[in-house]
Amino acid sequence: MDSNADSPEEGNEYDAALSAFYEPYFTGVEGDVAFYVAQAQAAGSPVLELGCGSGRILIPTAQAGVSITGLDRSAPMLAQARQRVAALSPETRRRIRLIQGDMRDFAIRRRFKLVTIPYRAFQHLLTPADQAQALLCIRDHLTKRGRLVFNLYDPSREFALGRATRAMQRDDDFIHPATGNRVVTWYRRQHEPVEQIMVQEFLFEEVDAGGSVLNRVYKTLTLRYTFRCEMQYLLELCGYTIEALHGDFHGGPYRGAEQVWVAQPA
Ligand SMILES: C[S@@+](CC[C@H](N)C(=O)[O-])C[C@H]1O[C@@H](n2cnc3c(N)ncnc32)[C@H](O)[C@@H]1O
């Protein structure tokens, strides 16, 4: 390679503090790990996962016998992945390659049978120009019959209309991976409907056994939401044929919530 954007960390929201809480808190979408592993097994090696994060999907894919390259722009997320990879068998480790880079602008000297962007990582691209740049770059890394598989989600109608500016809401607690204390989580979602931007604010409160707050961490994730037809036209404009749009990870029809796209170079 393997070049990537000049400064992959620029604008990176997945810093050390958020990365430390990633695995216990961001647990994915129902069925996503099995779905992406099955896609990788069906395609065969090599597979490229963009926005691979801590390896939540990349590691089970390699354990299923598929060679996979993971690209992510966050050094702390890749550090989490490297730590997990180090504990795997030498055989599985040999199937994994991790690269720091930006999915909008990367160059890897090989083509892949499958490129995936699981868990809505494509939504971190905040403008249509960034989305198109990534789709064109991905197409250059796919084999002729390769597939691009990724998922997004639709905002609820109230959010899309910009009506909902909600107070912080309680979410599921989790156990702090380093200290073993309980972490109480709060979140709020704000919307910029004109730009189709959603800002997720998180507050993580680490509490002791008596419930006293020991530490507070505030984090923000900014996502762009893309409506179904917009995504369809963008894929077509960037040289893809759409093979399927599912509504879940079990092949169910699209119902206006999750968008699970399967596309091929046209
Ligand atoms: C929601 S996490 C998904 C991680 C993993 N795929 C999973 O399913 O658990 C999104 C990941 O995308 C990465 N990311 C965001 N923007 C990116 C970009 N432009 N290029 C590469 N990675 C990016 C973040 O650093 C983060 O690790």
Side-chain angles (χ1 to χ4, degrees), residues 12 29 48 53 63 120 165 217 219 228 238 257:
N12 173 31
V29 183
L48 172 64
Q63 286 170 326
R120 306 157 178 166
T165 304
V217 176
K219 287 289 146 206
R228 172 248 187 111
C238 293

Side-chain angles (χ1 to χ4, degrees), residues 41-54:
Q41 286 179 304
S45 304
V47 170
L48 172 64
E49 180 183 342
L50 300 173
C52 64
S54 61

Side-chain angles (χ1 to χ4, degrees), residues 14 22 49 51-53 56 72-74 101-103 119 124:
Y14 289 80
Y22 182 77
E49 180 183 342
C52 64
R56 192 179 65 87
D72 200 287
R73 75 172 174 180
S74 160
D102 191 312
M103 70 175 90
Y119 207 2
H124 288 299

Side-chain angles (χ1 to χ4, degrees), residues 100-217:
Q100 188 178 15
D102 191 312
M103 70 175 90
R104 291 168 295 182
D105 179 18
F106 59 93
I108 302 174
R109 285 195 216 102
R110 71 189 306 184
R111 288 188 180 247
F112 295 87
K113 291 184 182 165
L114 174 69
V115 176
T116 63
I117 324 174
Y119 207 2
R120 306 157 178 166
F122 188 78
Q123 296 189 236
H124 288 299
L125 306 181
L126 301 181
T127 65
D130 281 353
Q131 294 176 323
Q133 197 183 338
L135 291 173
L136 293 170
C137 187
I138 293 164
R139 206 190 51 187
D140 288 343
H141 287 82
L142 279 169
T143 59
K144 225 169 168 185
R145 295 189 175 179
R147 285 199 171 88
L148 167 63
V149 181
F150 63 106
N151 64 296
L152 314 174
Y153 78 105
D154 293 335
S156 70
R157 217 160 64 95
E158 291 73 28
F159 284 165
L161 294 172
R163 288 193 189 134
T165 304
R166 302 189 304 183
M168 286 298 240
Q169 295 194 350
R170 266 297 288 275
D171 205 358
D172 294 340
D173 297 357
F174 61 88
I175 299 301
H176 193 296
T179 64
N181 289 320
R182 194 160 60 88
V183 179
V184 175
T185 308
W186 302 82
Y187 78 94
R188 172 169 57 189
R189 297 196 178 113
Q190 315 250 26
H191 284 77
E192 294 291 341
V194 173
E195 301 298 335
Q196 295 175 208
I197 294 290
M198 180 169 69
V199 180
Q200 297 182 316
E201 295 169 80
F202 300 97
L203 166 59
F204 299 104
E205 289 182 326
E206 182 182 352
V207 297
D208 66 16
S212 301
V213 177
L214 302 169
N215 187 23
R216 285 194 173 88
V217 176

